[in-house]
Amino acid sequence: LIKSMANPESPESERMRHEALVDRQSKKNKISHILTHRPCLCVGSVLLIFAICVVLTGIFLKLDEYANRQYYVWSDLRVQRQDVLLEAKEEVRREELGDRKMPLQVEQQVPWTLYIMFHRSGSRSVVDFANLNLINNVQRSVTTHKNYNRVCLAKSSEDSSCEEVQTFTHWFKDAKTENDIEDIMKQKAEENYDINKLFFDKSYSSSNPRANWARVWFRFGLPIADGDKVYRSSNDDPEAQRDYYEQFLVDVHPDVMDHETSDVDIYFFSRPWWGLMFNKLMMSDFGYVIGSILFVFTYMVIHTSSFILPVVGMFQVIAALPIAYTLYRVVMQIRLFNMLSLLSVFVILGIAADDIFVYMDAWKQSEQYECLRGDLEKRVAYVHRRATKAMFVTTITTFSAFLATAISDIAPISAFGIFSANMILSNYLLVITFFPSCVVLRHRLLVAWKKRKENGKNRGKTEVTDSIIPGEGTARPLKKEDEIHEISTKKMNIDTEEGGGLITGTETTKIEIKKTNKDDEPLQEESRIERFFQGPYMKVVFRGRYAIITIFTIWFCVAAFLATQISPLQEQENWFPEDHEVYVGFQASENEFHKGADDGLIVVRLVFGIDRLDRSDVIPYDVTSIGEVVWDNNFDLAPEQNQERLIEICDTVKSSDLVQDGITACFLQDFKEWILDDSSRGEFPVPASNFHKMLKTFLNSEAGYIHQAQGRVGYVHDDLRYVFVQAVAKGSWEPYKVMFPRWEKWEALMDGMNLGSPTGLNQGFQTSSMWQWMITERALVRNAYQGMAIAGTLSFMVLLMSTLNVVLSFYSVFVIAGIVLSVLGFVQLLGWEFGMIVSIAVVILIGFSVDYAVHICHAYVESKEEKRIDKTRESLRKMGVSVLGGAITTFGTGSVLFATTVVFFNRFAWVICSTIFFALIWALVFFPALLSTIGPEGTTGDIKICYRRFRTKWESRRTKKEAEQEQEQEQREEEKSQSSQDNRV
């Protein structure tokens, strides 16, 4: 084979063979006719569709902001329990309040709690005279803000003034020296440590009265009064009230940070602030898409040697967005669309560039064939047939890979995959209709411009290619497109006929003819890159094929092992850089301080009175569509035995080792104490006939109003719909393998209490928001592996149908698996955990992994060469330059994202670049080495031949069986006839 490479067939015979093959592949059809003769119609139709889709996109487009519920598994029981409780609270409030107005700012919004933290590094305490003054100034900058009184938590329903700031600075009003401060810190640690420790880091104690971290916090309540607009309740336009609070945070933040000094760092944190900063960074980082577009555009200009076609290509990418969104929103009726969905723009940039390179390389390579010269429609037919088939295989595999994510239980990931699939489909439709039409129009304009230019230059001049001397008997038919120039001064006669003519002349007249063609362009030679791939590069790959296959096989096993070592999340996923103030503030709040009631602990609620959540009318992918509450019709708390049983449940929960320091909130315990505090109220348990009247009186009192405000008791007029008991669970957020056993223990505790409860109180359930994130974490891992399995299977089926060769299909799937495992192994080496980022990365890398290997595979199967090495060489010649161009543009697109701030975008860049790197070396190094060594030749692996052989064998066996059956039948008839004769005898 090396010798055959060194001594190939003669260039003329190879050219003639390729010419014959191309001539057979360039049959005209309706598509080529329309693209050649009606390109303006194609372009105009696409522009009209684009305009319609732009209008529809403008009408329906709504970018959803980041919300935790988007990433919950809505179909899971634990998520539905939390949803049904929240929906029940909202439904009760709507029905109970009606048009009545709630007291302003009495309903505490725990997630809105604003923490301001102070940090001093070194051995010195953050609490000294200078810093106490600084902390007081920071507190005043918040409380004196013009809108603070409109959002703060009110003292009570009767007193609408703001409650006191949760602070420690008033401890030191009588301190005179630094020693006094230290003594007071020690005294407070001894007096009421469980409360006072919440202000300082975990190292603070009576034995160590110093603190490196300190914090104060502010609590906020609803409904608010925005100038003349007074909201009646927390349900009255909640988004507007939240926006008002968020604007307050934006306004007060710079005032707080202005007090930061070189000695003390200040950190500003609340959960809405986290969302605000995240959305802000996402929007600013998304501006880097402009850099990606410029990079792709620049490389396309270099690759195509044109400015117009890259402009057309960029318009194609832009046009794919509204077309895909119209399919996504109007046709498929999917409403969820957030920043994650917009990441498909980065995906489509590389894929669109790859498709354009495939088409343009086929267009340029078609110039090498003389049989296509002079007939533009024939050339378009050849290029379109070759390019669209190659692009179809890669498009359908990439489309299938992204569409496989539709099975994801997490709505944004599923929606991202579906929208990306629509983008890929839209891009393919544009690249086989709009782009070829533009190529034809550009070609016509260039030819017309060159002819006008040459006609101007050649006016009065002679250009010679062939000479004819009639006196010597040399003559040929004259073509219409030939230009005839007389060299001698002797007389010349030219006789022409329709369709041609004959040139004659005197004895020594020399007539020279310039050969022309309709395209008026010279034949193009192979590019340097094409010669490199089929020549020196192929020789190197072939000579080192055994070493290449061995090295890649070993790496495949190593990468597979590393991929299995990716650990699940050990802590909540970080979306900010580690030095960002939001990340530092969040980490400090989670890890440096003791946990308090407002610190995002695991709050478990034991709910009674709700049966389930009816999701039959839920709109898919609509985060606001939760479902309808189905109430427990048997629920009844009025019977005395049920009152006593609920008190027992409260006591059991409080004493359980699952609860942190016995922290619970049981409305019935407080109700009991309220009853017993005043003998005029009677005894507990309250008689059933008087129960609801007394309970509602308690809830409207100062002692019980907190339970009503927090929604722990759900009354609609005199109908008690639900109640719940609240407890703080031990621990904080942990990985799934730790959280799931905790959930099982709480579930067992709840089941035990249901079993021992009388009718009306035996259908309770427990729920917590932490269980929702637990299921999300599990779904991320499961759906990623399910997506890989489905995408791999679909890719194999598509390859099998397109190549009709089972061997090539298995090879291609092995290469794709090698790319995926290589990237996952690289991810493990980077130390990433299997969270949201890695799960989405798996979706993307599956989509990118298939393209390059499929290009090589398709070119190999399309080759008419007989030997595997010649097939491999031709596939590299045809597709190597396209694969390399697509890899460069996609790699450049991803590289731009390294400059972003959000961790997700930064890791997204790593995923794209590593995927392209591994896809390139697997497709252009391992795959050619494998194909040139054991690639199928002739009919090897051809499923048509296999089918024919199977059918032949099956028919042969059937024929043989039928013959045997006929022989047996004849034998039976003969025996029967003989028996009849014997009987007659």
Side-chain angles (χ1 to χ4, degrees), residues 628-640:
E628 295 184 0
V629 180
V630 178
W631 303 102
D632 179 7
N633 295 326
N634 295 322
F635 170 66
D636 189 0
L637 191 57
E640 295 183 14

Side-chain angles (χ1 to χ4, degrees), residues 667 671 691-699 713 715 720:
F667 75 95
F671 175 62
F691 174 76
H692 292 294
K693 178 181 177 181
M694 295 299 295
L695 182 57
K696 292 191 72 175
T697 303
F698 163 73
L699 294 174
V713 182
Y715 264 110
L720 181 60

